[in-house]
Amino acid sequence: MRTGAEPAGSKTYSITQLSEEFSVTPRAIRFYEDRGLLHPRREGQTRIYSQRDWVRLLLILRGKRVGFSLAELREILDLYDLGDQQTEQIRLTLVLARNKMVALERQRQDIDQTMAELGTACTYFEKLLAERGLDPEAAIAAPRQRRARTA
Amino acid sequence: MRTGAEPAGSKTYSITQLSEEFSVTPRAIRFYEDRGLLHPRREGQTRIYSQRDWVRLLLILRGKRVGFSLAELREILDLYDLGDQQTEQIRLTLVLARNKMVALERQRQDIDQTMAELGTACTYFEKLLAERGLDPEAAIAAPRQRRARTA
DNA sequence: GGTGACGTTGACGTTAACGTCAACTGGTCA
DNA sequence: TGACCAGTTGACGTTAACGTCAACGTCACC
């Protein structure tokens, strides 16, 4: 009962609960805290994560997939944290957010181009296979497992 | 005059030409070669890059922005290299390409979501500023320079 | 009172993608 | 001849994002 800022009955998570739900290791979660991306409550030694932390972790992982570094993600998450900030601070934050959006927009263009190229490559391969009288659909995609927990 | 496979008059590039055109260091370009992403001709010691190498470098850099690792990019670039491959090889390649596309599709969804969130955040900030009677457009975005050569 | 399960803090190891530096080669221009 | 490029090959350094391992605490349970 330190701050009592939480709605008292709000759901909380242990570190392993979070780690299993999001398929990341506890080590990673602690690391994010070390880098200032998460600030869980403490009960004695052990960390206790709130709903807010849950959302933050979601945003972190999505951000990583999008290509943000942890440092950048910290900046972004801080955007959501401004309470009664100074005007100048808000203005800077706004600039930051807009910059991020510009970068993302460009990245999406890159993705579109790459997908287009891969697409034409695919149809080319399919044509090749068809010429040899083979069914392109026979090529079954193996589910690329990548750092899944063995659990 | 090793293979003579090039159209003889086709344009070529030195390593610094390429590095300046794409704003990467020569070191990086050599590194990509070391990892099997580029295979420039040699004239004695020095590397000579063809149009094909130019395109490859373009694809490499775009791929990196999209989040591919160099190892993955090597796989992708090899897609463009199959000459008279075996059928099974083509089939595998097709699978690979399709997998890449699935991954990219998901990534684009991530980007869209992130942009949406940043967008609402922006409008919120703008509202905040407006409430204080300030012009949100006064927030001028500084051009985020990131690893630009100092030249 | 021992033995797991779950948690903690260091400290060190690892991989990717280069940067940095040193030492060398080969042309070219004054 | 000597200085100055542009290029080369090692070899080592660096940063990010964790993994791995050791040593410890603590609670419930049998």
Side-chain angles (χ1 to χ4, degrees), chain B residues 25 27-28 31-32 64 69-70:
Chain B
T25 66
R27 176 71 178 95
F31 187 72
Y32 298 153
K64 284 199 51 177
S69 73
L70 294 190

Side-chain angles (χ1 to χ4, degrees), chain A residues 58-151:
Chain A
L58 179 76
L59 293 177
I60 291 169
L61 297 177
R62 182 191 295 155
K64 285 199 49 178
R65 289 195 304 261
V66 164
F68 286 127
S69 73
L70 294 189
E72 288 176 313
L73 283 172
R74 182 187 173 162
E75 288 182 357
I76 294 181
L77 287 176
D78 288 348
L79 301 189
Y80 296 90
D81 274 349
L82 33 81
D84 47 349
Q85 299 275 325
Q86 280 98 326
T87 301
E88 196 51 33
Q89 189 57 33
I90 296 182
R91 203 176 283 175
L92 276 174
T93 302
L94 182 52
V95 169
L96 237 169
R98 283 178 180 165
N99 282 349
K100 302 281 181 201
M101 292 185 67
V102 170
L104 281 182
E105 180 56 40
R106 181 191 180 177
Q107 201 177 331
R108 200 171 59 171
Q109 289 176 25
D110 284 335
I111 288 187
D112 287 345
Q113 287 208 40
T114 306
M115 282 196 54
E117 277 156 15
L118 282 176
T120 64
C122 277
T123 56
Y124 171 63
F125 298 148
E126 287 159 5
K127 207 193 67 180
L128 273 189
L129 290 180
E131 280 171 3
R132 306 188 186 190
L134 296 164
D135 181 13
E137 297 309 318
I140 299 167
R144 276 222 137 185
Q145 93 166 358
R146 175 191 289 282
R147 190 152 315 187
R149 335 284 302 298
T150 33

Side-chain angles (χ1 to χ4, degrees), chain B:
Chain B
M1 199 160 294
R2 194 143 288 175
T3 58
E6 318 267 342
S10 184
K11 187 174 183 189
T12 63
Y13 309 81
S14 79
I15 194 168
T16 34
Q17 279 174 21
L18 272 191
S19 82
E20 283 168 4
E21 186 164 350
F22 287 102
S23 296
V24 295
T25 66
R27 176 71 178 95
I29 298 182
R30 291 192 202 99
F31 187 72
Y32 298 153
E33 177 179 351
D34 186 69
R35 293 314 170 92
L37 301 184
L38 291 174
H39 314 286
R41 222 175 68 218
R42 293 287 184 125
E43 197 129 306
Q45 286 262 76
T46 80
R47 295 161 168 88
I48 299 189
Y49 298 88
S50 64
Q51 275 297 112
R52 188 167 155 282
D53 294 319
W54 189 95
V55 173
R56 282 191 151 235
L57 186 50
L58 179 77
L59 293 177
I60 290 169
L61 297 177
R62 182 191 294 156
K64 284 199 51 177
R65 289 195 303 262
V66 164
F68 286 126
S69 73
L70 294 190
E72 289 175 313
L73 283 173
R74 182 186 173 164
E75 289 181 356
I76 294 182
L77 287 176
D78 288 348
L79 302 189
Y80 295 90
D81 273 348
L82 35 80
D84 47 348
Q85 299 276 326
Q86 278 100 325
T87 301
E88 197 49 33
Q89 190 57 34
I90 297 182
R91 203 175 283 174
L92 276 174
T93 303
L94 182 52
V95 169
L96 237 169
R98 283 179 179 164
N99 282 349
K100 303 280 182 201
M101 292 185 67
V102 170
L104 282 182
E105 180 56 39
R106 181 191 178 175
Q107 201 176 332
R108 201 171 57 171
Q109 290 176 26
D110 284 335
I111 287 186
D112 288 344
Q113 286 209 41
T114 306
M115 282 195 54
E117 277 157 15
L118 282 177
T120 64
C122 276
T123 56
Y124 171 64
F125 298 148
E126 286 159 6
K127 208 192 65 180
L128 273 188
L129 289 179
E131 280 171 2
R132 306 189 185 190
L134 295 164
D135 180 12
E137 297 310 318
I140 299 169
R144 274 225 136 182
Q145 93 166 0
R146 175 191 288 283
R147 190 152 315 189
R149 334 283 303 298
T150 34

